[in-house]
Amino acid sequence: MAPLFVDESVLLKYLGILLCTVTYWMVRCNSDSSIFLPGILVCSLPILITIHFDRRNFMMKHQLFSQFQTFDLDSADCSCESDREFVYAAISHLYGSKAAFTQYVRGPLQRELLEPICQNVLPRCYTELLTTPFLSLFLDFTLALWKQGAPVEDLVIYAVSMFGLTTCLHVPAVLTMMILLGDRFAEPWDGFWGCFLNYLQTLLVFLAILAHSVAGLVVCFTVSSRRQWWFLIGCFFLFLAIRILTVKLRDKLQGQRKRLQKARSFQSEA
């Protein structure tokens, strides 16, 4: 993931998460359930835009891989045709021949430039940044419960379920899933309604991520409301397993892509 691509994507994700926390705070403070559904739709809009933005950038990255593998010096554009022979002569002088330069671009240069962007891993600092809206929200409610004289056991269960399950396990798993699905379904579907199918594909990916996010949050809120240690421990191991599974799947797909990229690079070089 290129740095600029990551920064823009994180900005949209942060905006969506921030709006989610504001919506939840309004529902809890006003006890007005009628604003919940409109609030969800409003706060989900930046996430929907982020998913479409991620898919577009992943598709551009896939096209970049293909361009390196099919690079042909003779078909490359030159802004000034009078300079083409001069460029060819310089390339032949430095690399021996145009064919040698083509093999260098398809092989070593491709591996050197594309290997860093093969990684679909969100830096830890950005993951921690994206969890800060939830962290501040739950800290506010925890302090409110403490000031109201809530029992210590209930306070601990609420803090562990909100901070441990939601902030440390569920949110990072959702972010990893968002990157994986955006990369996996980056290429738009072919068909007569190409543009419509492209947006429909984004919507389906968004609904899958939304279902996973809402289900996890419902479980976390259920844990905090039931106030039972055995239920908390069971949900903790469930969320931990989901988090480990998403990381393993990400690493597996990333390893497969690197091996495929190297194999194609060697084939193009040969």
Side-chain angles (χ1 to χ4, degrees):
M1 298 172 70
L4 184 59
F5 164 44
V6 174
D7 294 341
E8 294 176 347
S9 178
V10 167
L11 179 61
L12 289 174
K13 289 183 176 70
Y14 185 84
L15 180 60
I17 293 175
L18 184 62
L19 290 176
C20 286
T21 57
V22 171
T23 302
Y24 177 73
W25 179 82
M26 292 175 61
V27 172
R28 287 293 301 267
C29 293
N30 297 328
S31 299
D32 185 6
S33 59
S34 62
I35 67 173
F36 183 75
L37 183 58
I40 289 295
L41 296 177
V42 171
C43 70
S44 299
L45 182 60
I47 302 297
L48 180 63
I49 297 174
T50 302
I51 293 173
H52 192 75
F53 175 82
D54 289 347
R55 286 187 55 243
R56 186 193 65 183
N57 282 277
F58 280 124
M59 182 179 63
M60 293 173 61
K61 188 174 70 172
H62 297 171
Q63 292 175 351
L64 182 61
F65 293 155
S66 177
Q67 289 172 0
F68 266 97
Q69 293 162 7
T70 60
F71 174 78
D72 185 7
L73 182 60
D74 292 330
S75 60
D77 295 331
C78 185
S79 58
C80 184
E81 286 297 327
S82 60
D83 294 336
R84 182 179 294 272
E85 295 301 326
F86 172 77
V87 173
Y88 284 172
I91 290 176
S92 299
H93 175 72
L94 293 174
Y95 294 93
S97 65
K98 293 191 294 184
F101 176 73
T102 299
Q103 291 182 353
Y104 171 73
V105 172
R106 293 180 179 180
L109 183 62
Q110 177 187 180
R111 292 192 293 270
E112 179 182 354
L113 296 181
L114 298 187
E115 185 174 358
I117 64 176
C118 284
Q119 300 182 2
N120 296 333
V121 180
L122 194 65
R124 179 176 297 179
C125 60
Y126 284 128
T127 302
E128 295 173 352
L129 174 65
L130 291 173
T131 60
T132 52
F134 286 110
L135 187 64
S136 61
L137 176 69
F138 298 145
L139 180 61
D140 182 70
F141 282 116
T142 302
L143 292 176
L145 291 174
W146 175 68
K147 293 182 67 175
Q148 291 178 359
V152 176
E153 183 178 2
D154 294 346
L155 191 63
V156 172
I157 291 179
Y158 178 82
V160 173
S161 61
M162 293 294 101
F163 291 105
L165 296 183
T166 305
T167 307
C168 298
L169 295 177
H170 181 57
V171 174
V174 171
L175 295 174
T176 302
M177 181 181 177
M178 188 180 300
I179 295 175
L180 289 177
L181 292 180
D183 190 12
R184 174 61 180 82
F185 298 101
E187 302 294 335
W189 290 331
D190 295 328
F192 179 76
W193 301 95
C195 183
F196 171 76
L197 293 176
N198 188 20
Y199 289 113
L200 177 62
Q201 194 171 350
T202 297
L203 180 61
L204 293 177
V205 173
F206 165 74
L207 292 178
I209 296 173
L210 183 64
H212 174 58
S213 304
V214 172
L217 291 176
V218 169
V219 172
C220 293
F221 295 147
T222 304
V223 170
S224 64
S225 61
R226 293 185 61 172
R227 300 183 177 88
Q228 295 177 346
W229 281 103
W230 65 267
F231 191 58
L232 172 62
I233 295 173
C235 291
F236 172 80
F237 284 107
L238 174 62
F239 277 63
L240 182 61
I242 294 175
R243 175 59 177 157
I244 294 175
L245 179 63
T246 55
V247 172
K248 292 293 185 182
L249 180 61
R250 179 199 65 192
D251 294 340
K252 180 181 178 181
L253 295 177
Q254 184 172 302
Q256 290 177 350
R257 170 159 294 177
K258 284 185 176 180
R259 289 191 295 269
L260 180 62
Q261 185 66 25
K262 288 183 179 180
R264 291 179 176 176
S265 174
F266 285 120
Q267 290 177 358
S268 300
E269 190 176 3

